[in-house]
Amino acid sequence: MRIAHKFIFDRDSRFRPMRKEFDLDHPDPKDHLAKNWRNEQSFYELALLEFVRLYGPTGGTFFDVGANVGNHTIFLASMVADCVVSVEPCPEALFALRQNIAKNKLSNCLTVDCAVGDRTGQAALNVRAENSHNLGSTSVQARRDCEEKTVQTKTLDRIWSDISEATKGALKYIKLDIEGAELPALRGGADILQRYAPHVSAEAASSEELDALCKYLYDFGYVKVGCFGATPHYYFINPEKRPLSGDLSTPMCKIIRCASQRVWKLCEYFG
């Protein structure tokens, strides 16, 4: 499947119409993600991705945790990051992820086949039968209605220790979409949060999950600055160590907000 991504403004709000095409394949044409590509003819969660491109960090290393088949990885590796580390435990998704990286001729991606948590060990990989057309719903939480496979789990700190010599520059951004395991993953990344203060976007499906993320990250100097998507992804930064890089009053910022019915919202950092 070929999708096109169109840019409207650059970081300085100058009009620059451009067109770049990407090849993205999915093993299940009925999957939620594949349907979105067909319907929108662009990347899934585009408002979040454009926010990262325009106002997030540039260069360095980005983590895509819960990479699925590579929607976020392909965009970030093509647009902003020197290196993207894509972490995905599901074998079917991992195979498609590696294919998509190769089809788009990206040499700045590393794939890691494990789950992420607050400790290193083993976990049950669960694919829910009722969500058979949503590969992204794969989780590592045991349930009776799931088909279980054993996968290795690692902490973010351990993954960074294992691959840091093969990456380029400091860790600047972490995206987490791992079906409710975002907080344990961040607990296993205390060292990199303290050392690098990367921007963090994490899914939180409930107010309780969001409150727990905010409380944990607050101790590292983070504040919540944005919200994107249907199942919200919240954007966190440490404004003292790694602030946003763009002007949020620019036309591009307004276009990002108008481009999605599920607009992102400014929060505490900007009053």
Side-chain angles (χ1 to χ4, degrees), residues 89 115 121-127 138-143 146-153:
Q122 300 285 321
L125 181 71
N126 308 308
V127 182
T138 300
S139 72
V140 292
Q141 294 179 339
R143 295 176 184 264
C146 298
E147 299 177 6
E148 298 186 3
K149 300 178 182 179
T150 300
V151 296
Q152 185 179 17
T153 62

Side-chain angles (χ1 to χ4, degrees), residues 24-271:
L24 293 171
D25 283 338
H26 199 289
D28 179 6
K30 295 182 179 180
D31 188 273
H32 170 69
L33 181 57
K35 287 181 178 179
N36 182 271
W37 289 341
R38 286 196 301 272
N39 293 337
E40 301 296 330
Q41 286 296 296
S42 192
F43 287 93
Y44 182 61
E45 295 184 341
L46 182 59
L48 169 62
L49 293 170
E50 280 288 72
F51 185 86
V52 176
R53 183 177 75 87
L54 290 161
Y55 307 107
T58 57
T61 298
F62 286 34
F63 272 12
D64 182 3
V65 183
N68 201 342
V69 300
N71 179 85
H72 292 60
T73 289
I74 301 304
F75 183 98
L76 296 172
S78 301
M79 303 296 178
V80 288
D82 290 331
C83 178
V84 176
V85 179
S86 307
V87 186
E88 176 54 53
C90 176
E92 187 178 13
L94 182 67
F95 181 79
L97 167 66
R98 288 170 171 165
Q99 281 192 319
N100 284 329
I101 290 171
K103 288 183 67 174
N104 288 278
K105 298 179 173 62
L106 294 171
S107 60
N108 59 336
C109 298
L110 296 175
T111 58
V112 180
D113 55 342
C114 72
V116 176
D118 56 5
R119 67 195 67 185
T120 297
Q122 300 285 321
L125 181 71
N126 308 308
V127 182
R128 303 179 195 178
E130 68 269 25
N131 285 338
S132 58
H133 295 304
N134 188 356
L135 191 59
S137 69
T138 300
S139 72
V140 292
Q141 294 179 339
R143 295 176 184 264
R144 293 180 180 178
D145 57 348
C146 298
E147 299 177 6
E148 298 186 3
K149 300 178 182 179
T150 300
V151 296
Q152 185 179 17
T153 62
K154 292 184 179 181
T155 65
L156 290 175
D157 286 341
R158 175 62 183 273
I159 293 172
W160 178 251
S161 175
D162 289 345
I163 56 86
S164 58
E165 292 186 1
T167 61
K168 299 177 182 179
L171 178 61
K172 294 186 178 182
Y173 173 71
I174 302 172
K175 166 254 174 183
L176 293 158
D177 186 353
I178 46 178
E179 301 303 301
E182 289 79 8
L183 182 57
L186 289 171
R187 285 176 175 156
D191 184 59
I192 56 176
L193 291 175
Q194 186 66 44
R195 185 184 304 181
Y196 298 108
H199 288 194
V200 175
S201 66
E203 185 181 70
S206 68
S207 59
E208 292 79 13
E209 289 181 5
L210 175 60
D211 288 345
L213 288 173
C214 291
K215 289 177 182 178
Y216 179 75
L217 288 170
Y218 178 82
D219 290 338
F220 293 89
Y222 280 80
V223 293
K224 173 167 59 74
V225 298
C227 174
F228 304 81
T231 302
H233 274 258
Y234 294 91
Y235 202 94
F236 300 88
I237 67 169
N238 183 323
E240 298 298 323
K241 293 184 177 180
R242 198 178 295 281
L244 294 174
S245 60
D247 180 1
L248 290 164
S249 66
T250 62
M252 184 68 243
C253 184
K254 296 176 183 178
I255 287 173
I256 291 174
R257 295 177 67 179
C258 294
S260 171
Q261 295 299 315
R262 308 179 184 94
V263 298
W264 60 269
K265 298 172 289 186
L266 301 182
C267 301
E268 293 97 330
Y269 181 53
F270 301 100

